[in-house]
């Protein structure tokens, strides 16, 4: 059954994207891999295409949420004429060969047991201190929905097309995972975590890594701010609308 499209947002991942694409093409039921080259300055798009992916390019970096929307729209266009739309499996570009282990994320969605699955990595690498962003996201999701996420920032997710459409428009940048979880739970959709043996590259502690974590914190905080009931009510009153 060919019922899964893999979408891989990527920026400057020329060293790993080929291995990730090739591994994703090995997943059962995955007959389409779409890489969204989000303004890369290296050969990410070219390498991904050579590895077998369909490539969509952003002329400039627009952020992860925008890349996910672009990838999903490309799949929607390619799905025209199909009886059933493909499920959408989002994977990060730096998974390399471990991407072939993502199949368990698809199974609950395919079986109709979940509207979205989120990966929980069975092994972790040292993340260089980005635990404070994880705590921000986890605590916010729990306050708003009552659901406790083990790895709330994990970008490896499988959704039905209907669930993805229900979450649009996606939050900007690195707030997308947190917002996606909250928005689907608040709509009464079923979200579950699945343990998988995937692995990212280790995150460093240099200034670039710290700047990346600062952007993550900013984007997650923004996504939470507009979804917190008290904050949303204040924003609505400020704008002259009922909350």
């Amino acid at each position: 059954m060919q019922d899964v499209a893999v979408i891989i947002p990527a920026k400057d991942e020329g060293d790993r994207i080929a291995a990730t694409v090739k591994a994703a093409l090995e997943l059962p039921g995955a007959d389409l891999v779409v890489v969204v080259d989000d303004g890369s300055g290296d050969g990410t798009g070219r390498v991904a295409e050579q590895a077998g992916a369909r490539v969509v390019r952003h002329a400039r970096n627009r952020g992860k949420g925008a890349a996910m929307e672009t990838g999903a729209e490309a799949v929607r266009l390619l799905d025209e004429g199909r009886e059933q739309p493909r499920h959408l499996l989002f994977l990060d570009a730096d998974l390399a060969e471990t991407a072939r282990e993502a199949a368990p994320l698809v199974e609950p969605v395919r079986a109709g047991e979940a509207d979205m699955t989120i990966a929980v990595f069975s092994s972790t690498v040292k993340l260089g201190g980005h635990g404070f962003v994880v705590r921000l996201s986890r605590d916010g999701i729990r306050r708003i929905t009552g659901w406790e996420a083990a790895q709330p920032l994990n970008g490896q997710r499988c959704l039905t097309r209907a669930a993805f459409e229900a979450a649009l428009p996606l939050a900007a940048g690195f707030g997308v995972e947190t917002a996606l979880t909250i928005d689907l739970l608040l709509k009464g959709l079923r979200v579950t975590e699945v343990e998988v043996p995937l692995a990212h590259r280790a995150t460093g502690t240099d200034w670039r890594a710290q700047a990346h974590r600062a952007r993550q914190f900013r984007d997650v905080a923004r996504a939470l701010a507009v979804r917190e009931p008290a904050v949303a009510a204040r924003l609505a009153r400020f704008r002259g609308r009922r909350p």
Side-chain angles (χ1 to χ4, degrees), residues 232-243:
R234 287 197 294 272
L235 287 172
R237 286 196 296 271
F238 177 76
R239 293 168 180 163
R241 299 197 302 266
R242 294 181 63 187

PDB file of all heavy atoms in Angstrom, residues 232-243:
ATOM      1  N   ALA A 232      -4.621  35.041  25.310  1.00  0.00           N
ATOM      2  CA  ALA A 232      -5.486  35.192  24.149  1.00  0.00           C
ATOM      3  C   ALA A 232      -6.643  36.140  24.435  1.00  0.00           C
ATOM      4  O   ALA A 232      -7.038  36.950  23.590  1.00  0.00           O
ATOM      5  CB  ALA A 232      -6.026  33.826  23.726  1.00  0.00           C
ATOM      6  N   ALA A 233      -7.202  36.066  25.646  1.00  0.00           N
ATOM      7  CA  ALA A 233      -8.299  36.960  26.011  1.00  0.00           C
ATOM      8  C   ALA A 233      -7.840  38.408  26.023  1.00  0.00           C
ATOM      9  O   ALA A 233      -8.544  39.304  25.542  1.00  0.00           O
ATOM     10  CB  ALA A 233      -8.867  36.562  27.368  1.00  0.00           C
ATOM     11  N   ARG A 234      -6.638  38.640  26.569  1.00  0.00           N
ATOM     12  CA  ARG A 234      -6.127  40.012  26.610  1.00  0.00           C
ATOM     13  C   ARG A 234      -5.871  40.532  25.195  1.00  0.00           C
ATOM     14  O   ARG A 234      -6.169  41.695  24.889  1.00  0.00           O
ATOM     15  CB  ARG A 234      -4.843  40.070  27.440  1.00  0.00           C
ATOM     16  CG  ARG A 234      -5.083  39.915  28.940  1.00  0.00           C
ATOM     17  CD  ARG A 234      -3.875  40.381  29.740  1.00  0.00           C
ATOM     18  NE  ARG A 234      -2.723  39.535  29.517  1.00  0.00           N
ATOM     19  CZ  ARG A 234      -2.452  38.434  30.223  1.00  0.00           C
ATOM     20  NH1 ARG A 234      -3.281  38.042  31.175  1.00  0.00           N
ATOM     21  NH2 ARG A 234      -1.376  37.725  29.974  1.00  0.00           N
ATOM     22  N   LEU A 235      -5.329  39.663  24.343  1.00  0.00           N
ATOM     23  CA  LEU A 235      -5.093  40.081  22.966  1.00  0.00           C
ATOM     24  C   LEU A 235      -6.399  40.412  22.248  1.00  0.00           C
ATOM     25  O   LEU A 235      -6.493  41.389  21.505  1.00  0.00           O
ATOM     26  CB  LEU A 235      -4.344  38.977  22.204  1.00  0.00           C
ATOM     27  CG  LEU A 235      -2.866  38.793  22.541  1.00  0.00           C
ATOM     28  CD1 LEU A 235      -2.327  37.553  21.845  1.00  0.00           C
ATOM     29  CD2 LEU A 235      -2.057  40.008  22.152  1.00  0.00           C
ATOM     30  N   ALA A 236      -7.424  39.589  22.494  1.00  0.00           N
ATOM     31  CA  ALA A 236      -8.707  39.827  21.839  1.00  0.00           C
ATOM     32  C   ALA A 236      -9.325  41.146  22.292  1.00  0.00           C
ATOM     33  O   ALA A 236      -9.872  41.901  21.484  1.00  0.00           O
ATOM     34  CB  ALA A 236      -9.651  38.659  22.123  1.00  0.00           C
ATOM     35  N   ARG A 237      -9.244  41.435  23.588  1.00  0.00           N
ATOM     36  CA  ARG A 237      -9.786  42.703  24.088  1.00  0.00           C
ATOM     37  C   ARG A 237      -9.024  43.882  23.517  1.00  0.00           C
ATOM     38  O   ARG A 237      -9.600  44.909  23.141  1.00  0.00           O
ATOM     39  CB  ARG A 237      -9.739  42.730  25.615  1.00  0.00           C
ATOM     40  CG  ARG A 237     -10.777  41.843  26.276  1.00  0.00           C
ATOM     41  CD  ARG A 237     -10.939  42.197  27.755  1.00  0.00           C
ATOM     42  NE  ARG A 237      -9.712  41.937  28.511  1.00  0.00           N
ATOM     43  CZ  ARG A 237      -9.430  40.765  29.083  1.00  0.00           C
ATOM     44  NH1 ARG A 237     -10.293  39.757  28.978  1.00  0.00           N
ATOM     45  NH2 ARG A 237      -8.319  40.598  29.760  1.00  0.00           N
ATOM     46  N   PHE A 238      -7.696  43.718  23.410  1.00  0.00           N
ATOM     47  CA  PHE A 238      -6.879  44.796  22.857  1.00  0.00           C
ATOM     48  C   PHE A 238      -7.265  45.084  21.417  1.00  0.00           C
ATOM     49  O   PHE A 238      -7.273  46.226  20.970  1.00  0.00           O
ATOM     50  CB  PHE A 238      -5.398  44.399  22.953  1.00  0.00           C
ATOM     51  CG  PHE A 238      -4.453  45.398  22.336  1.00  0.00           C
ATOM     52  CD1 PHE A 238      -4.147  46.577  22.992  1.00  0.00           C
ATOM     53  CD2 PHE A 238      -3.899  45.147  21.087  1.00  0.00           C
ATOM     54  CE1 PHE A 238      -3.283  47.502  22.416  1.00  0.00           C
ATOM     55  CE2 PHE A 238      -3.041  46.077  20.512  1.00  0.00           C
ATOM     56  CZ  PHE A 238      -2.731  47.241  21.180  1.00  0.00           C
ATOM     57  N   ARG A 239      -7.616  44.017  20.697  1.00  0.00           N
ATOM     58  CA  ARG A 239      -7.970  44.184  19.274  1.00  0.00           C
ATOM     59  C   ARG A 239      -9.448  44.524  19.076  1.00  0.00           C
ATOM     60  O   ARG A 239      -9.909  44.651  17.956  1.00  0.00           O
ATOM     61  CB  ARG A 239      -7.641  42.897  18.512  1.00  0.00           C
ATOM     62  CG  ARG A 239      -6.138  42.612  18.449  1.00  0.00           C
ATOM     63  CD  ARG A 239      -5.885  41.205  17.948  1.00  0.00           C
ATOM     64  NE  ARG A 239      -4.451  40.934  17.885  1.00  0.00           N
ATOM     65  CZ  ARG A 239      -3.936  39.705  17.797  1.00  0.00           C
ATOM     66  NH1 ARG A 239      -4.743  38.651  17.779  1.00  0.00           N
ATOM     67  NH2 ARG A 239      -2.631  39.538  17.745  1.00  0.00           N
ATOM     68  N   GLY A 240     -10.195  44.624  20.183  1.00  0.00           N
ATOM     69  CA  GLY A 240     -11.597  45.009  20.076  1.00  0.00           C
ATOM     70  C   GLY A 240     -12.512  43.886  19.675  1.00  0.00           C
ATOM     71  O   GLY A 240     -13.615  44.124  19.171  1.00  0.00           O
ATOM     72  N   ARG A 241     -12.068  42.617  19.937  1.00  0.00           N
ATOM     73  CA  ARG A 241     -12.909  41.482  19.594  1.00  0.00           C
ATOM     74  C   ARG A 241     -13.209  40.696  20.860  1.00  0.00           C
ATOM     75  O   ARG A 241     -12.485  40.773  21.854  1.00  0.00           O
ATOM     76  CB  ARG A 241     -12.197  40.536  18.608  1.00  0.00           C
ATOM     77  CG  ARG A 241     -11.844  41.171  17.297  1.00  0.00           C
ATOM     78  CD  ARG A 241     -11.544  40.086  16.273  1.00  0.00           C
ATOM     79  NE  ARG A 241     -10.448  39.227  16.729  1.00  0.00           N
ATOM     80  CZ  ARG A 241      -9.195  39.419  16.402  1.00  0.00           C
ATOM     81  NH1 ARG A 241      -8.848  40.441  15.666  1.00  0.00           N
ATOM     82  NH2 ARG A 241      -8.253  38.571  16.828  1.00  0.00           N
ATOM     83  N   ARG A 242     -14.264  39.898  20.802  1.00  0.00           N
ATOM     84  CA  ARG A 242     -14.561  38.988  21.900  1.00  0.00           C
ATOM     85  C   ARG A 242     -13.567  37.841  21.874  1.00  0.00           C
ATOM     86  O   ARG A 242     -13.222  37.349  20.807  1.00  0.00           O
ATOM     87  CB  ARG A 242     -15.961  38.440  21.770  1.00  0.00           C
ATOM     88  CG  ARG A 242     -17.052  39.493  21.925  1.00  0.00           C
ATOM     89  CD  ARG A 242     -18.406  38.871  21.807  1.00  0.00           C
ATOM     90  NE  ARG A 242     -18.616  37.902  22.884  1.00  0.00           N
ATOM     91  CZ  ARG A 242     -19.680  37.103  22.954  1.00  0.00           C
ATOM     92  NH1 ARG A 242     -20.588  37.141  21.994  1.00  0.00           N
ATOM     93  NH2 ARG A 242     -19.804  36.263  23.962  1.00  0.00           N
ATOM     94  N   PRO A 243     -13.087  37.359  23.020  1.00  0.00           N
ATOM     95  CA  PRO A 243     -12.150  36.229  23.048  1.00  0.00           C
ATOM     96  C   PRO A 243     -12.812  34.951  22.591  1.00  0.00           C
ATOM     97  O   PRO A 243     -13.998  34.812  22.653  1.00  0.00           O
ATOM     98  CB  PRO A 243     -11.747  36.144  24.531  1.00  0.00           C
ATOM     99  CG  PRO A 243     -12.839  36.821  25.287  1.00  0.00           C
ATOM    100  CD  PRO A 243     -13.396  37.879  24.373  1.00  0.00           C
TER     101      PRO A 243
END
